[in-house]
Amino acid sequence: MHEHFLAAQSGKRSRHAIADRVAPSVWQYDYLTLSRLSQDVRTLLGEVPLAVGATALDLGSDKSPYQALMASRGYDVRTLDITRDGGADYAGTAEATGLPDASFDLVLCTQVLEHCMNPWAAVREIHRILRPGGYLIASAPHVWFFHPHPTDHWRFTQEGITHLCREAGLEPLTLLAQGGSVLTLCQVVNFLAYGMLGRLAAPLYGALNLAASVGDRLVPNELFCHNFACLARRE
């Protein structure tokens, strides 16, 4: 499967600039995912107290698309990725950051835990590098296609992601479901269309994205969503 995925992606340009993630176009195949994630990161950051001069780590992202949002809350933002080739401040993994104990007031970890060999160890590592009273904002998929960047191991439920936090000594405060059944169905159809037609299917993506936005309000059901975002705190 891994080799098949790499072969299918061979020669394709990266689809995501920072602007695509923070304010995606309705014509994108993953607009539903990215727009809801950006909205929920903004919502959860709004629940974190203003922290002028505090430090934040964007864990697993060299580009840090939400850096401006964190900076607007007073955070000095650093980044960590598996290499520093893309401009990350630190190189490491979620399970082994190599960073000092209690060195950050906020850790942002979006769409990373599914790629970890051991997500339990990853969240324990986040607990270790958070200062007492510090916050974690983490997001992870419930329904998603296989995407080994560089590996892809896990999917999570509501109880799964909150259990990861509690097992590591973090107290979950808020859990947001990103989309309901209608939105998830439309996102899956967009995935399938993108795999067959790529950017040529932009009109279809736009129509489905609009239909999903309306349908999700008319028939809300967050038990079957495609993604979760969680805010947790280290005591």
Side-chain angles (χ1 to χ4, degrees):
M1 287 190 298
H2 189 106
E3 295 303 321
H4 177 75
F5 178 87
L6 295 180
Q9 298 297 311
S10 178
K12 291 186 178 179
R13 295 185 296 109
S14 173
R15 298 184 297 276
H16 295 124
I18 289 176
D20 293 331
R21 291 188 176 275
V22 177
S25 165
V26 73
W27 307 108
Q28 288 178 218
Y29 82 101
D30 50 1
Y31 164 83
L32 296 170
T33 294
L34 296 181
S35 62
R36 292 331 187 261
L37 178 58
S38 179
Q39 176 182 314
D40 285 351
V41 168
R42 188 183 300 272
T43 297
L44 295 178
L45 276 172
E47 296 186 19
V48 175
L50 288 170
V52 177
T55 56
L57 179 69
D58 196 334
L59 178 58
S61 174
D62 52 12
K63 297 181 177 65
S64 190
Y66 307 109
Q67 182 170 4
L69 285 176
M70 289 185 280
S72 72
R73 302 293 295 172
Y75 288 95
D76 180 20
V77 182
R78 297 288 182 266
T79 58
L80 181 145
D81 211 338
I82 54 176
T83 74
R84 297 186 63 192
D85 296 345
D89 295 301
Y90 311 110
T93 65
E95 296 97 328
T97 64
L99 298 172
D101 291 354
S103 50
F104 292 95
D105 301 285
L106 170 68
V107 172
L108 179 68
C109 182
T110 56
Q111 308 305 101
V112 172
L113 294 174
E114 71 269 25
H115 300 290
C116 295
M117 296 289 287
N118 188 335
W120 294 270
V123 182
R124 287 194 293 268
E125 176 73 351
I126 290 170
H127 177 277
R128 183 185 69 79
I129 65 174
L130 275 175
R131 295 187 177 105
Y135 292 87
L136 165 66
I137 295 175
S139 70
H142 180 56
V143 176
W144 203 253
F145 62 90
F146 179 63
H147 60 300
H149 301 301
T151 56
D152 183 17
H153 299 283
W154 307 96
R155 299 295 180 268
F156 298 90
T157 66
Q158 295 94 321
E159 290 183 335
I161 195 166
T162 54
H163 173 73
L164 280 178
C165 292
R166 290 196 175 98
E167 194 272 342
L170 299 170
E171 180 59 32
L173 302 176
T174 304
L175 180 67
L176 300 178
Q178 288 156 359
S181 300
V182 174
L183 188 145
T184 301
L185 172 62
C186 291
Q187 182 61 83
V188 169
V189 174
N190 276 348
F191 286 155
L192 295 173
Y194 185 83
M196 295 183 289
L197 300 172
R199 291 186 175 90
L200 295 176
L204 173 62
Y205 308 147
L208 285 171
N209 290 337
L210 291 173
S213 298
V214 173
D216 235 31
R217 291 194 292 269
L218 295 177
V219 190
N221 177 15
E222 294 184 345
L223 295 180
F224 181 49
C225 65
H226 72 277
N227 215 67
F228 298 105
C230 181
L231 173 67
R233 182 177 61 211
R234 175 179 174 178
E235 298 298 334

